[in-house]
Amino acid sequence: MAPHAAVLLSLLLLTTCAADTHLHFFLHDVVSGSNPTAVQVIKGPASSSNALPDVAFGDTTVIDDALTETSSPTSAPVGRAQGFYMMSSQSGMVLMMCVNLLLTTGDYNGSTLAVIGRDDVMTTTRELSVVGGTGKFRMATGYVVWKTNSSSGADATIELDVYTTGLNGTATIDANAPVSPIDGSGATGKSSSGAAALRGAVPYGWANAWVAAVLVALAGCVW
Ligand SMILES: *[C@@H]1O[C@H](CO)[C@@H](O)[C@H](O)[C@H]1NC(C)=O
Ligand SMILES: *[C@@H]1O[C@H](CO)[C@@H](O)[C@H](O)[C@H]1NC(C)=O
Ligand SMILES: *[C@@H]1O[C@H](CO)[C@@H](O)[C@H](O)[C@H]1NC(C)=O
């Protein structure tokens, strides 16, 4: 089979059996009280932001926020949001959000989603990016609809709708895949170098990779 035909077939199969997931839960960002889950670790140098008197450009908060099933903080826990957010606009309450969503229930227990994005706090609904994941979310991509459900002072409850597409944890990379040279040893073109040997093997290697991709995709569909 011509390589490009194999590519198209793999893409088609992957598209057909890629898992689309929609998750819904709430994040509780607790800054106040004796048990905060969000702690400011950097204070911006100037109160250059106009939105709130106490907020400055550069303010950075590290979080380990609870994720729960409903908007009540005492509802069933589903995971944690671990990461940080930083005030990254000089003209308003806009956060750079960088967070791993760790899920701790059911089949998703231990799987994570890497979320990064622009959180324009004063807007009703924001959209952040899912840039990857692990476990069930390995190689996932997607987006999160991020909506303030309630707030009290600096504390906030956020409603999250996570939409991802991925391979539902079925993606693997062969443990026997050859090690690629990363030391530049191939640059001299010496015939004895590992890189030269690898160059010779490339066409065969790629053909194998496409066949493997098709088989993996087929296997995924059968399951
Ligand atoms: C993906 O995995 C989850 C968790 O194991 C499962 O509930 C769901 O049905 C799977 N989705 C697809 C489309 O295979
Ligand atoms: C999730 O996984 C952890 C670690 O493997 C385990 O201790 C815990 O009981 C699991 N929780 C659920 C709800 O399955
Ligand atoms: C907060 O979430 C609840 C669901 O738990 C919903 O009924 C309510 O409308 C939400 N409020 C806002 C302001 O989005």
Side-chain angles (χ1 to χ4, degrees), residues 44 48-49 55-61 84-98 116-121:
S48 49
S49 171
V55 176
F57 182 55
D59 282 359
T60 301
T61 299
F84 66 89
Y85 52 81
M86 174 184 275
M87 273 288 302
S88 54
S89 167
Q90 289 188 294
S91 55
M93 274 286 287
V94 179
L95 304 174
M96 159 72 190
M97 185 68 64
C98 187
I116 199 165
R118 182 173 187 271
D119 179 4
D120 187 346
V121 176

Side-chain angles (χ1 to χ4, degrees), residues 26 70-71 147-150 159:
F26 291 80
T70 75
S71 57
K147 197 175 166 194
T148 305
N149 190 259
S150 65
E159 181 173 11

Side-chain angles (χ1 to χ4, degrees), residues 19-20 107-108 136 168:
D20 293 330
D107 283 343
Y108 293 110
K136 283 279 168 192
N168 226 15

